[in-house]
Amino acid sequence: ENQSDDWIASLYEFLNGQPALKRRLDGLPLVRLSDGSHVLARADGEPQAFLPSDTETSFPTVRKSVCTSADARSFLVSLGIIEPDLVDDVVRNVLQKYVGETVDVDDEQYARDIDRILAAYRTDSKTQRDKLLEALRAATFVMVVDAGDGAGYVEMPGNVYIATDKLKLLFSGVADVFIVDDAYPCLRGEDVRELLEACGALRYPRLVPAPWESPWSDRLKELRVRAGHAD
């Protein structure tokens, strides 16, 4: 940890050309994180750090300045260090903030979290996308307003409506109907609407079961029987 970033980068480049040494490195905390601390590459089969990427995550990340060269990066990859999976980052790190009836994040952090969710939703992996959607459906991450009094809440996507002009007009003054709060810029636009619909939000009135009633033909027959004219 006392060595400079340039020294660490040179070490990685050297070790990349010494494959015979790699099996002796498992117990050494060689990986420099962004905060300057060092960790093992893996512990109990799990990576303890990830390569830096263009998208923000909450995973421990290798300091960029020690893996700018191809040789240094190749060495880290040989230790099992890869770029973080955005879906796993959202499921493990982001959605943990959105598990209750209240959410303790400011507007700036909320916007960043929505950006991370959208980035993860763009994955090419159907398995990972399905995993993300399942987690999102169970998370109270959608900022909404009650159409009755305009009060703000946070809700699961399956309980809300997309903020279209028609739905706002239709439900105006109706209590306990939750519409996406598009006062948040991060909740506007077709990309986030598509995401919310995939999680269960609707652009049209939600159908609910009506009380069962016997068909008219049965009721007319009952009236005829009562009147003594069954035929």
Side-chain angles (χ1 to χ4, degrees):
E1 290 185 3
N2 291 331
Q3 302 296 338
S4 68
D5 288 352
D6 288 343
W7 192 94
I8 295 294
S10 296
L11 174 66
Y12 292 167
E13 291 166 359
F14 169 76
L15 291 174
N16 187 56
Q18 305 293 326
L21 291 177
K22 288 180 181 175
R23 60 178 173 269
R24 303 182 62 181
L25 305 179
D26 291 345
L28 297 178
L30 288 173
V31 183
R32 174 164 292 183
L33 300 181
S34 55
D35 64 1
S37 63
H38 277 245
V39 296
L40 298 172
R42 301 180 75 83
D44 299 324
E46 294 294 326
Q48 300 303 293
F50 294 85
L51 293 173
S53 66
D54 294 333
T55 305
E56 176 190 359
T57 74
S58 297
F59 286 128
T61 305
V62 177
R63 181 174 282 187
K64 287 184 178 181
S65 55
V66 301
C67 58
T68 56
S69 72
D71 284 342
R73 196 175 183 91
S74 177
F75 169 69
L76 292 170
V77 170
S78 73
L79 298 181
I81 296 176
I82 58 175
E83 288 193 9
D85 183 275
L86 301 184
V87 170
D88 288 337
D89 174 55
V90 168
V91 172
R92 296 180 193 178
N93 300 319
V94 175
L95 295 186
Q96 298 309 309
K97 310 169 195 174
Y98 303 93
V99 294
E101 295 182 357
T102 59
V103 175
D104 187 20
V105 297
D106 59 31
D107 291 355
E108 186 176 336
Q109 181 61 61
Y110 182 69
R112 290 201 300 270
D113 289 343
I114 293 298
D115 285 343
R116 288 164 70 175
I117 291 171
L118 284 171
Y121 182 65
R122 298 184 188 107
T123 178
D124 293 331
S125 168
K126 183 180 183 304
T127 299
Q128 285 296 85
R129 178 178 287 196
D130 289 346
K131 176 180 178 180
L132 174 66
L133 292 176
E134 181 180 0
L136 290 173
R137 291 183 187 113
T140 52
F141 76 99
V142 187
M143 296 298 181
V144 299
V145 292
D146 188 319
D149 58 11
Y153 299 95
V154 62
E155 265 292 346
M156 294 181 181
N159 297 333
V160 309
Y161 290 102
I162 302 297
T164 66
D165 290 339
K166 289 183 178 180
L167 288 179
K168 288 179 182 179
L169 180 61
L170 175 67
F171 290 123
S172 178
V174 181
D176 299 325
V177 172
F178 302 112
I179 298 178
V180 174
D181 188 354
D182 57 2
Y184 287 86
C186 61
L187 295 180
R188 302 174 197 155
E190 202 56 35
D191 286 348
V192 72
R193 287 183 173 186
E194 179 185 331
L195 168 71
L196 293 175
E197 282 190 286
C199 299
L202 296 181
R203 292 179 189 249
Y204 50 83
R206 185 171 281 105
L207 298 178
V208 296
W212 184 86
E213 293 183 352
S214 57
W216 268 107
S217 58
D218 290 349
R219 283 185 276 173
L220 288 172
K221 180 178 179 180
E222 183 182 347
L223 289 172
R224 289 196 296 268
V225 169
R226 286 182 186 176
H229 301 287
D231 298 330

